[in-house]
C-alpha cells in the first residue's frame, strides 16, 4: 500500500515560526523539571528563554518574508498577510512576557507551565493567520483556546479568575461548535474545506446556496465570539477583569489578531462572490459592536472593564473596513491590529503598575493625581489613551483613518461616519483617565506606590515608543502590511 504522503515531501519551512514556538515551549518544560526550588536560578531564566523563542520565531518570519509564498499541503501559506499576522502575535507575546516576569510568581508558582502555555497559544494564533483550510483554522483555534482557558484561571486564589476561566471555557465551547457546524455546512455546499477550492466551486455556480448561507452565518458567529462582536461579546468584560492582567493584555491583542486574520482570509478567499450578503451583515454588526462597546465603557469604573468594552468597540472599527470586502480593507485591518498591539498592551501594563497586591484590577480612582508622583508613568498612559482615542499624530489615528478610508472608497460612507461618531464618544472615557491623572488631587484610593519592575518598565517604554513612531512614520508600516493576501 502506497503511503498517502512522505514526510520528506512536506514543506516544513511554511510552519517554521510555529515549530520554533512549540520547540521552545517543550524546552521550557524540560528546564522546569530540573528546577526543584521556587528560587532556583533555572526558574528565573524561563521568561527569558520564552522571549528567545519569540525572537527566533520573529526571525523566521523575517526570513520567510523575502521568500516566494509557499504552501504546506494546501493547508497553510506564507504570504505577507500570514507573516504580518505572525508579527503582530509575536509582538503581543513578547510584550506579554515582559509584563509577566515579576507578576506571575506572585499569583502562581508554576512558571514553567505558564510560559509553555503562553507559547503554545501563540503558536495557534500564528497558525490561524496562515491557515488556508477550514480544518486547519479549526485546529489552530482550538490550540490557542485550550491554552487561554487554562491561563485565564491561573490565579487560583482569586475566585474571579476561576470564574473567568469557567465562563471562557463554556462559552468558547459554544463558539467552537458554531464554527464546526458552519464549516460542515460550507463543506456541504462546496465539497471542499480548502478556501481556494470553495471559491472555485461557488464561482462556477455549482455550489449549494441553501447550505452556504447558513454556513457563513455560523462561521461569522464563531469568529464573532473570538473577536468579541456584539451579540457574542458577553464573556469579554468578565474574562478580561478576572484573568491575570498580563494574560488579559496578551489575549486582547493576540486572539483578536489571529481570529480577524482567519476571518478576513475566509471572506476574501473563499466567499468573495457573496460580499453583497455578508457585507451588510458585517456593517450591521459593526454598528452594534461600536455603539454598545462605547456606551458600556462610559459607565465603567474599573480600568480593566473599561478596556474590555473598548476592545469590543475596536472590533467594530475593524469591521467597518472589512464590510466592502476589498483587499485595501484587509490591509487596513491588519495595520489597525498592529497599532492596537502597542497601545492596548501598553495601557494594560499601566494597569499592572497601579494594581494593589493580591488584586487583578485597578479602579480609575487609583490613577487620580499620579502625574505628580510618577510623571513618566502618567505620560505613557496619556499617550496610550490619546492613541486609543484616535488623536493625531499617534498610531491609533492612522489605524482608524485607514479602515474608515477603506469603507469610504468601497461606497460605505455612512458606515465610516458612524465609526467617526463612535470615536468621538470613545474619546470621553479615554480622556477621563488622562484628566484624572493630571487634574485631580490624589485621594485615599490613589496608588501609593507604582510597581517599579524593570521588565514592566521596558514593556511600557517599548509600547509607548512604537505608538509614537508608527504615528510619525506611518508609511514605513503601511508598506509592510500592504498587498498582503496572496503576495
Amino acid at each position: 500500500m502506497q503511503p498517502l504522503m512522505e514526510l520528506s515531501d512536506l514543506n516544513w519551512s511554511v510552519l517554521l515560526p510555529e515549530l520554533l514556538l512549540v520547540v521552545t515551549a517543550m524546552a521550557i518544560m524540560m528546564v522546569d523539571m530540573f528546577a526543584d526550588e521556587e528560587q532556583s536560578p533555572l526558574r528565573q531564566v524561563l521568561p527569558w528563554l520564552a522571549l528567545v523563542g519569540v525572537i527566533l520565531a520573529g526571525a523566521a518570519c523575517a526570513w520567510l518574508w523575502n521568500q516566494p509564498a509557499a504552501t504546506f499541503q494546501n493547508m497553510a501559506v506564507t504570504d505577507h498577510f500570514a507573516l504580518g499576522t505572525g508579527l503582530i502575535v509575536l509582538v503581543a507575546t513578547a510584550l506579554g512576557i515582559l509584563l509577566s516576569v515579576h507578576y506571575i510568581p506572585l499569583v502562581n508558582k508554576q512558571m514553567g507551565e505558564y510560559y509553555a502555555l503562553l507559547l503554545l497559544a501563540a503558536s495557534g494564533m500564528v497558525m490561524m493567520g496562515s491557515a488556508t483550510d477550514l480544518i486547519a483554522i479549526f485546529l489552530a483555534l482550538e490550540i490557542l483556546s485550550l491554552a487561554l482557558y487554562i491561563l485565564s484561571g491561573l490565579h487560583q486564589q482569586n475566585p474571579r479568575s476561576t470564574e473567568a476561566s469557567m465562563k471562557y471555557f463554556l462559552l468558547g465551547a459554544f463558539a467552537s461548535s458554531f464554527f464546526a457546524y458552519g464549516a460542515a455546512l460550507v463543506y456541504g455546499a462546496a465539497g471542499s474545506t480548502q478556501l481556494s477550492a470553495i471559491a472555485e466551486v461557488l464561482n462556477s455556480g455549482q455550489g449549494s446556496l441553501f447550505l452556504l448561507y447558513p454556513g457563513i452565518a455560523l462561521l461569522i458567529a464563531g469568529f464573532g465570539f473570538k473577536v468579541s462582536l456584539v451579540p457574542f461579546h458577553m464573556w469579554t468584560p468578565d474574562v478580561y477583569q478576572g484573568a491575570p492582567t498580563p494574560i488579559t493584555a496578551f489575549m486582547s491583542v493576540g486572539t483578536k489578531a489571529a481570529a480577524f486574520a482567519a476571518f478576513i482570509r475566509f471572506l476574501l478567499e473563499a466567499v468573495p462572490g457573496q460580499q453583497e450578503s455578508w457585507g451588510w451583515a458585517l456593517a450591521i454588526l459593526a454598528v452594534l459592536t461600536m455603539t454598545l462597546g462605547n456606551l458600556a465603557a462610559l459607565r465603567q469604573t474599573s480600568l480593566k472593564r473599561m478596556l474590555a468594552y473598548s476592545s469590543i468597540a475596536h472590533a467594530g472599527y475593524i469591521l467597518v473596513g472589512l464590510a466592502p470586502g476589498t483587499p485595501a480593507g484587509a490591509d487596513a485591518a491588519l495595520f489597525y491590529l498592529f497599532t492596537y498591539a502597542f497601545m492596548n498592551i501598553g495601557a494594560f501594563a499601566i494597569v499592572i503598575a497601579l494594581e494593589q497586591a493580591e488584586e487583578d484590577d485597578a479602579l480609575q480612582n487609583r490613577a487620580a493625581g499620579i502625574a505628580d508622583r510618577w510623571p513618566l508613568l502618567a505620560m505613557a498612559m496619556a499617550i496610550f489613551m490619546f492613541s486609543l482615542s484616535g488623536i493625531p499624530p499617534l498610531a491609533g489615528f492612522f489605524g482608524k483613518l485607514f479602515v474608515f478610508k477603506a469603507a469610504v472608497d468601497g461606497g460605505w460612507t455612512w458606515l465610516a461616519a458612524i465609526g467617526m461618531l463612535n470615536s468621538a464618544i470613545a474619546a470621553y472615557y479615554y480622556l477621563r483617565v488622562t484628566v484624572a491623572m493630571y487634574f485631580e488631587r490624589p485621594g485615599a484610593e490613589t496608588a501609593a506606590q507604582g510597581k517599579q519592575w524593570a521588565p514592566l518598565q521596558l514593556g511600557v517604554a517599548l509600547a509607548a515608543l512604537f505608538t509614537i513612531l508608527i504615528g510619525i512614520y506611518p508609511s514605513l508600516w503601511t508598506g509592510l502590511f500592504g498587498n498582503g493576501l496572496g503576495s
Side-chain angles (χ1 to χ4, degrees), residues 2-80:
Q2 287 291 107
L4 294 175
M5 67 178 72
E6 296 286 348
L7 286 178
S8 58
D9 296 334
L10 300 179
N11 188 2
W12 291 105
S13 66
V14 174
L15 302 180
L16 186 57
E18 293 92 328
L19 292 174
L20 286 169
L21 291 171
V22 172
V23 169
T24 307
M26 294 170 65
I28 287 173
M29 287 189 284
M30 292 292 292
V31 171
D32 191 50
M33 286 175 59
F34 295 98
D36 297 329
E37 300 176 0
E38 291 183 5
Q39 299 302 322
S40 168
L42 285 176
R43 289 202 168 180
Q44 307 306 316
V45 84
L46 293 179
W48 308 112
L49 181 57
L51 197 57
V52 168
V54 173
I55 293 172
L56 289 175
C61 287
W63 175 71
L64 289 168
W65 196 277
N66 295 317
Q67 307 296 319
T71 63
F72 182 87
Q73 298 297 106
N74 292 322
M75 301 285 280
V77 68
T78 58
D79 59 14
H80 286 178

Side-chain angles (χ1 to χ4, degrees), residues 158-461:
N158 185 351
R160 190 179 285 168
S161 180
T162 306
E163 178 187 346
S165 178
M166 185 57 68
K167 281 185 177 178
Y168 196 24
F169 170 69
L170 292 175
L171 294 176
F174 278 110
S176 296
S177 64
F178 281 133
F179 186 94
Y181 278 119
L185 288 173
V186 171
Y187 174 76
S192 176
T193 55
Q194 291 181 4
L195 303 185
S196 58
I198 292 170
E200 287 180 12
V201 171
L202 296 178
N203 291 338
S204 67
Q206 299 176 358
S208 168
L209 298 181
F210 178 74
L211 295 176
L212 179 66
Y213 285 113
I216 293 175
L218 288 172
L219 286 174
I220 289 176
F223 284 122
F225 174 87
K226 288 300 176 187
V227 301
S228 302
L229 300 182
V230 174
F232 315 108
H233 68 288
M234 302 301 290
W235 61 277
T236 309
D238 292 339
V239 174
Y240 275 33
Q241 187 179 27
T245 308
I247 295 300
T248 306
F250 168 66
M251 76 164 69
S252 70
V253 173
T255 306
K256 202 179 289 295
F260 261 120
F263 194 17
I264 292 168
R265 194 181 288 279
F266 168 73
L267 293 174
L268 297 191
E269 291 193 350
V271 291
Q274 285 66 42
Q275 185 274 335
E276 289 187 2
S277 299
W278 56 252
W280 275 101
L282 295 193
I284 293 169
L285 288 174
V287 173
L288 293 174
T289 303
M290 289 185 294
T291 306
L292 190 144
N294 282 323
L295 293 180
L298 288 173
R299 299 171 52 84
Q300 305 305 315
T301 56
S302 157
L303 286 173
K304 286 179 75 174
R305 289 187 77 87
M306 184 201 79
L307 290 172
Y309 279 108
S310 84
S311 81
I312 295 170
H314 282 280
Y317 299 140
I318 296 172
L319 277 191
V320 170
L322 296 180
T326 60
D331 295 339
L334 204 58
F335 179 81
Y336 194 103
L337 289 164
F338 182 62
T339 64
Y340 187 69
F342 294 105
M343 56 191 183
N344 203 54
I345 293 182
F348 275 112
I350 303 297
V351 173
I352 291 175
L354 297 177
E355 285 178 356
Q356 289 181 323
E358 305 301 325
E359 286 188 359
D360 288 327
D361 196 5
L363 300 180
Q364 289 194 20
N365 54 16
R366 296 277 295 169
I370 66 168
D372 293 334
R373 298 180 182 180
W374 307 294
L376 292 178
L377 195 76
M379 184 176 69
M381 188 60 160
I383 289 171
F384 300 135
M385 292 295 102
F386 288 152
S387 186
L388 286 165
S389 304
I391 294 176
L394 298 171
F397 167 75
F398 290 98
K400 288 182 179 176
L401 175 67
F402 293 143
V403 294
F404 293 159
K405 182 178 184 300
V408 171
D409 291 345
W412 296 75
T413 305
W414 66 270
L415 185 58
I418 294 176
M420 287 185 277
L421 179 62
N422 269 279
S423 294
I425 296 172
Y428 175 79
Y429 60 81
Y430 287 129
L431 296 183
R432 188 172 62 190
V433 177
T434 308
V435 169
M437 291 189 300
Y438 282 92
F439 297 104
E440 291 185 5
R441 293 179 179 277
E445 299 297 326
T446 300
Q449 184 174 3
K451 296 183 176 66
Q452 304 294 317
W453 302 331
L456 177 66
Q457 292 173 332
L458 177 61
V460 171

Side-chain angles (χ1 to χ4, degrees), residues 70-142:
T71 63
F72 182 87
Q73 298 297 106
N74 292 322
M75 301 285 280
V77 68
T78 58
D79 59 14
H80 286 178
F81 186 82
L83 297 174
T85 305
L87 176 63
I88 296 168
V89 170
L90 294 174
V91 165
T93 310
L95 291 176
I97 290 171
L98 291 176
L99 270 55
S100 305
V101 174
H102 291 289
Y103 189 101
I104 295 304
L106 298 177
V107 302
N108 196 295
K109 306 304 180 188
Q110 297 170 311
M111 290 176 59
E113 290 85 343
Y114 170 78
Y115 288 107
L117 286 169
L118 193 72
L119 293 185
L120 291 175
S123 70
M125 293 171 182
V126 175
M127 188 175 175
M128 276 197 80
S130 62
T132 56
D133 187 286
L134 291 175
I135 295 175
I137 293 173
F138 182 74
L139 289 175
L141 183 67
E142 291 304 292

